[in-house]
Amino acid sequence: MDLTALRNANPEHWTKAAAIRALALDAVAAANSGHTGMPIGMADVATVLFEKHMKFDVANPKWPDRDRFILSAGHGSMLIYSLLYLMGDAQVTLEQIKNFRQMGALTAGHPENFLIDAVETTTGPLGQGIANAVGFAMAEEMQRAQYGRKLVDHHTYVIAGDGCLMEGVSQEAIGLAGRHSLGKLIVLWDNNNITIDGTVELSDRTNQVQRFKASGWHVQEIDGHDPKAIDAAIEAAKKTKKPSMIACKTHIALGHAAQDTSKGHGALTDAEQLKAAKDAYGWTGGAFEVPADIKAQWEAIGQRGAAEREAWEARFAEASQQKQDRFNRAYALDAPKKLSAAVKALKKQLSEDQPKVATRKASEMALAVINPLMPETVGGSADLTGSNNTKTGDLGIFDTDNRKGRYVYWGIREHGMASAMNGMALHGGIRPYGGTFFCFTDYARPAMRLAALMKIPSVFVMTHDSIGVGEDGPTHQPVEHLAICRATPNTYVFRPADAVETAEAWEIALTEKETPSVMTLTRQNLPTVRTEHKLNNLTSKGAYVLAEAEGKRQVILIATGSEVSVAMDAKAKLEAEGIGTRVVSMPCMELFAQQDEAYRRKVLPAGPVRVGIEAAMRAGGWDRWLLGERGQEKKAAFVGMDRFGASAPAGELFEKFGITADNTVAKVKELLG
């Protein structure tokens, strides 16, 4: 490719883009690690986007009505770090650039939203960024309908690569965006035809342009190194009512010896080749040196959005105090003051009425109380609305003709749903929850993990939580999923025993600000075990004494969810034989682990034999509570699963696998000798 012609055609643009390229080369070479090719190849697109189109104020990277920029191809992180440093971001200093990928640096190998304010979402696992972006765009539509165009009117821009579009979640995402006509979503595809193994043709022959068109997108094809074409394409994309994909034909590692090769994807560290590439760019500065005039031009770009931000702040100040307060509360993730009283009232009613309902139904009952108080909640289901019980009557359906709707029919897209939910939460001002069957956490898992990593309080409603699913059989019966979720850092896994604990779990999930929640809920009806009303949220302790021993305490039964009632039945049988038995309900192991040691010892004192009861595998934290935190307890057993389930009515399955009061009693007697 004739770089001289490119330089001469638009020298002012070229030098700004060359600054990105030079910094990417220097940082990756210094780290001896990273991905140089994409930042070099997409430097022209990024320069035009930020100079001509992005509504962004580098001094205030979190102001609510900014345009969102998502680097879905997160391995090319030096693109966003270079942009932020050049524009004068206070966090991304030259020292941070020099320490790219090093211990303690904000400039991690992939962009992390919790390290840098201007990074909207953690990307790196390919496809997640474009799927998050759908949630960002949906959130913008919802909030614009709720608060008006004066306060909410911005775009979501995405840079995605070939790898992002190969990942299956990308089809879920683009199908959703096309269905909902998300006209504020613009994807810039880095069409360089290179993957790590070689050319795209090694593994794929998809016509991406036709694919996006078939999904209802506005599509353009341009030269990704022509600034005028890039500018015109983005301008056209902003005018359409459809989501837009701009296919930017680029050269990976442009101007480097590795241009247009798979080697160009990764770390380009050869000193001679680096110098030759810089010479081709006409770049004369030393390592990490950016001429003052070029830096000043970039800083002016970074400040360009300040006037728009100030105008927005003035409009916001003119809004009614009620609207301001609601807006600020939602963005701060503060629950309304009425929430606690409403949950307490519901708990009192449930303890008095003592309904025998599935916890999926109990969840719906709690949401019916909560959703009217929290206009920021957005619910949904992956084609299982009637099974997950996630829809309440006040929400309305989000659609092209009802942007105020707060319920989303996600379709059979568990991964896309969870990723878009994360995008909604990251956008700000929305608390998303979405449902599917618990066994399908396998499909949503990558997004659930990223919610935990990014410290966002998405709520994953997972019903049909055990062999209690019954006749659908082992394909639909989760046995290992509790262990997997509990093994994930910064995740609350709730398995409530009845309607009271379910209401308490929802109160925790919707007041939490940095931790996602997994609601594991039953298909089958459960009796109310919390028959005595307590003002305090006992679920917030993670575990508590539900029923004390009537005589000398010899046994502690620890149970979760549907097995708490099994423990209560076992207690009655043991007490009838003079064996004093305490029942501990443990709806959230993670919250129990956070309590002080004195409380944990009070609930689980040393001495009595311990039996855990849960219709799942023993893995995932059980041994800590059964064997004692110091491993001092010698007599413990587990009543649960050690294999996959089977297809049969739920009651028969619990008998077959021994998750019964009688088997629990037998285990206790065996331990007592």
Side-chain angles (χ1 to χ4, degrees):
M1 191 162 191
D2 188 353
L3 297 194
T4 302
L6 287 176
R7 287 163 53 186
N8 292 339
N10 198 322
E12 201 172 294
H13 161 85
W14 179 264
T15 55
K16 288 195 285 286
I20 296 173
R21 294 178 168 119
L23 286 170
L25 282 164
D26 291 337
V28 173
N32 196 32
S33 173
H35 300 81
T36 323
M38 194 281 275
I40 291 176
M42 286 297 279
D44 294 304
V45 172
T47 299
V48 173
L49 175 63
F50 276 83
E51 182 178 15
K52 307 280 189 186
H53 298 279
M54 278 289 293
K55 184 169 67 172
F56 174 79
D57 179 9
V58 74
N60 292 271
K62 288 294 187 185
W63 71 285
D65 200 38
R66 68 193 179 279
D67 285 343
R68 272 63 169 179
F69 172 66
I70 296 171
L71 187 65
S72 189
H75 58 276
S77 56
M78 269 310 302
L79 178 66
I80 192 168
Y81 299 151
S82 297
L83 285 165
L84 292 174
Y85 163 66
L86 290 167
M87 290 189 294
D89 184 275
Q91 291 179 299
V92 186
T93 63
L94 187 59
E95 282 304 304
Q96 292 290 341
I97 296 291
K98 289 180 178 179
N99 284 288
F100 174 57
R101 285 182 165 235
Q102 303 309 300
M103 179 65 73
L106 301 180
T107 46
H110 294 88
E112 304 287 5
N113 73 302
F114 51 86
L115 294 179
I116 298 173
D117 289 343
V119 171
E120 300 287 357
T121 178
T122 290
T123 54
L126 294 176
Q128 287 298 319
I130 189 172
N132 289 165
V134 172
F136 275 87
M138 292 174 80
E140 193 274 345
E141 294 280 359
M142 292 173 178
Q143 294 194 328
R144 180 153 36 89
Q146 190 174 139
Y147 295 107
R149 191 175 294 275
K150 287 184 178 181
L151 298 186
V152 182
D153 188 16
H154 53 263
H155 287 83
T156 299
Y157 294 98
V158 183
I159 286 181
D162 293 304
C164 293
L165 301 191
M166 282 194 209
E167 289 287 358
V169 71
S170 72
Q171 182 57 41
E172 297 184 26
I174 70 170
L176 279 165
R179 165 61 184 83
H180 288 293
S181 299
L182 301 178
K184 295 280 191 173
L185 174 61
I186 299 174
V187 173
L188 300 146
W189 170 35
D190 179 18
N191 180 17
N192 61 43
N193 199 44
I194 294 294
T195 67
I196 292 174
D197 281 349
T199 62
V200 169
E201 285 78 10
L202 284 173
S203 56
D204 193 35
R205 63 183 299 172
T206 303
N207 184 322
Q208 298 292 353
V209 167
Q210 292 301 321
R211 175 187 174 211
F212 275 80
K213 285 182 179 178
S215 298
W217 288 57
H218 175 264
V219 182
Q220 302 172 77
E221 297 181 77
I222 63 167
D223 178 350
H225 300 298
D226 180 346
K228 292 182 179 178
I230 298 165
D231 183 27
I234 296 174
E235 196 63 49
K238 284 157 56 173
K239 293 176 181 177
T240 179
K241 293 182 179 180
K242 295 180 178 182
S244 285
M245 190 273 267
I246 304 172
C248 306
K249 188 59 186 172
T250 60
H251 295 272
I252 199 167
L254 179 74
H256 189 278
Q259 177 181 316
D260 298 329
T261 70
S262 59
K263 181 175 174 56
H265 172 87
L268 304 178
T269 58
D270 182 272
E272 290 186 9
Q273 291 180 350
L274 186 152
K275 183 181 183 305
K278 284 188 174 182
D279 289 344
Y281 304 150
W283 193 261
T284 57
F288 299 105
E289 289 182 4
V290 178
D293 60 329
I294 299 174
K295 184 70 163 69
Q297 290 173 36
W298 267 112
E299 289 180 356
I301 292 170
Q303 296 162 12
R304 186 173 58 82
E308 288 186 271
R309 174 185 55 78
E310 290 167 0
W312 179 87
E313 289 172 346
R315 293 194 301 273
F316 187 78
E318 293 171 356
S320 70
Q321 191 61 51
Q322 183 182 32
K323 183 178 282 190
Q324 289 185 48
D325 290 345
R326 181 157 50 95
F327 188 96
N328 287 331
R329 182 185 62 74
Y331 268 81
L333 292 175
D334 292 332
K337 294 178 181 178
K338 294 180 179 179
L339 178 63
S340 178
V343 172
K344 286 182 174 68
L346 175 62
K347 286 166 52 180
K348 186 174 188 298
Q349 177 188 335
L350 292 169
S351 293
E352 292 172 353
D353 295 347
Q354 299 181 24
K356 186 174 183 178
V357 295
T359 49
R360 59 172 174 156
K361 178 62 178 178
S363 172
E364 181 183 44
M365 294 160 67
L367 288 170
V369 170
I370 292 167
N371 280 336
L373 299 177
M374 299 185 71
E376 65 270 32
T377 58
V378 172
S381 169
D383 200 52
L384 290 168
T385 295
S387 295
N388 298 147
N389 295 93
T390 42
K391 183 176 179 289
T392 58
D394 60 305
L395 291 180
I397 308 303
F398 176 77
D399 209 335
T400 52
D401 59 353
N402 183 23
R403 297 311 203 189
K404 289 185 178 180
R406 293 163 52 202
Y407 192 81
V408 181
Y409 288 118
W410 292 105
I412 305 92
R413 299 183 179 99
E414 294 86 1
H415 195 176
M417 173 183 73
S419 297
M421 284 167 52
N422 287 346
M424 288 179 174
L426 289 162
H427 176 279
I430 285 180
R431 280 190 174 271
Y433 67 87
T436 186
F437 289 167
F438 191 32
C439 62
F440 298 147
T441 54
D442 292 336
Y443 289 150
R445 168 76 183 150
M448 295 171 71
R449 179 178 186 269
L450 281 172
L453 176 64
M454 292 191 284
K455 303 178 183 178
I456 52 175
S458 302
V459 183
F460 304 101
V461 182
M462 300 300 184
T463 69
H464 297 57
D465 71 341
S466 72
I467 57 170
V469 170
E471 292 86 346
D472 277 345
T475 59
H476 284 54
Q477 293 167 4
V479 294
E480 74 274 32
H481 299 72
L482 277 166
I484 293 169
C485 290
R486 287 171 178 155
T488 306
N490 189 40
T491 300
Y492 291 150
V493 183
F494 293 100
R495 192 161 186 256
D498 65 2
V500 177
E501 283 191 358
T502 304
E504 290 182 335
W506 269 111
E507 182 180 20
I508 297 163
L510 293 177
T511 52
E512 177 55 46
K513 295 187 178 185
E514 293 190 343
T515 301
S517 296
V518 181
M519 298 284 186
T520 54
L521 308 172
T522 66
R523 178 196 187 199
Q524 72 273 27
N525 292 338
L526 304 181
T528 298
V529 295
R530 283 275 293 279
T531 56
E532 182 183 349
H533 176 56
K534 299 286 186 181
L535 287 174
N536 291 340
N537 187 321
L538 299 185
T539 298
S540 69
K541 294 290 190 180
Y544 61 92
V545 178
L546 175 65
E548 187 52 279
E550 295 172 16
K552 180 184 176 183
R553 187 191 313 124
Q554 300 180 63
V555 182
I556 300 176
L557 302 180
I558 312 167
T560 78
S562 51
E563 287 67 68
V564 173
S565 59
V566 174
M568 292 295 286
D569 290 345
K571 170 185 165 61
K573 292 175 181 288
L574 289 164
E575 295 282 1
E577 297 187 38
I579 302 172
T581 303
R582 168 184 283 189
V583 173
V584 171
S585 179
M586 188 175 280
C588 183
M589 287 186 179
E590 297 77 28
L591 284 172
F592 186 56
Q594 291 176 13
Q595 306 307 307
D596 60 53
E597 186 176 6
Y599 177 78
R600 299 198 306 271
R601 284 187 173 186
K602 184 179 179 181
V603 174
L604 296 177
V609 301
R610 301 181 183 186
V611 177
I613 316 171
E614 186 173 69
M617 306 296 285
R618 180 169 174 166
W622 268 108
D623 281 358
R624 177 178 179 181
W625 314 120
L626 291 177
L627 304 180
E629 298 190 58
R630 295 175 179 81
Q632 77 275 17
E633 303 300 326
K634 303 303 181 184
K635 292 188 175 182
F638 182 73
V639 174
M641 298 294 293
D642 61 2
R643 72 199 88 165
F644 291 113
S647 179
E652 294 180 25
L653 290 171
F654 279 91
E655 288 287 342
K656 173 180 172 57
F657 292 106
I659 306 173
T660 63
D662 287 342
N663 191 40
T664 301
V665 169
K667 293 277 188 183
V668 168
K669 290 182 176 180
E670 184 180 329
L671 291 172
L672 291 174

